[in-house]
Amino acid sequence: MIEFHLDSRSGVSPYLQLVQQVRQALLLGVLEAGDRLPTVKEVVAQLAINPNTVLKAYRELERDGLASAKPGVGTFVTATLADESLAAHGPLREGLRAWLAAARKAGLDEESIEALFLSTFRTPVTEENE
């Protein structure tokens, strides 16, 4: 089951953070069709947020065809976003872990690592860079 977290520094509304985390879990194969999402009560207890925030996130997932609420039972994943690229995730994750270890060894703190990653991620890839 997915465990949600919120980043108050992100500038992204809490309900969208929940939606994004479910979408990422679906892309990574962490969640699959049939899996139950945490109940609203569970998320509220874990994150200390308004129940309406969780309900709004779950409604958006339903609208996108990714989840379905079953009254009295819970909200369940109805579709996946994972594709054939899922097989490549393991080796890429290992490479990223090695990169993170090298960044930490070089003395970068979490904020610096994130800034470096995001600035590199947003730089257009050209044939020269490949």
Side-chain angles (χ1 to χ4, degrees), residues 59-81:
R59 278 194 306 269
E60 182 160 325
L61 291 165
E62 285 186 72
R63 191 191 75 227
D64 292 343
L66 299 174
S68 177
K70 295 181 182 178
V73 181
T75 302
F76 293 84
V77 174
T78 57
T80 185
L81 296 174

Side-chain angles (χ1 to χ4, degrees), residues 12-45:
V12 177
S13 67
Y15 96 92
L16 274 178
Q17 288 184 51
L18 299 178
V19 170
Q20 289 171 348
Q21 288 172 43
V22 170
R23 292 183 67 84
Q24 287 173 352
L26 290 169
L27 283 166
L28 296 173
V30 173
L31 286 174
E32 298 176 347
D35 288 347
R36 184 178 71 81
L37 295 175
T39 65
V40 171
K41 188 176 181 178
E42 290 169 341
V43 178
V44 167

Side-chain angles (χ1 to χ4, degrees), residues 52-116:
N52 290 328
T53 301
V54 183
L55 288 169
K56 185 175 181 180
Y58 284 8
R59 278 194 306 269
E60 182 160 325
L61 291 165
E62 285 186 72
R63 191 191 75 227
D64 292 343
L66 299 174
S68 177
K70 295 181 182 178
V73 181
T75 302
F76 293 84
V77 174
T78 57
T80 185
L81 296 174
D83 59 19
E84 62 278 350
S85 70
L86 189 59
H89 289 199
L92 291 170
R93 181 176 287 116
E94 288 307 312
L96 186 53
R97 284 185 179 138
W99 180 84
L100 286 169
R104 288 185 182 108
K105 188 174 181 180
L108 276 69
D109 62 11
E110 190 172 307
E111 188 175 5
S112 298
I113 290 171
E114 184 177 0
L116 178 59

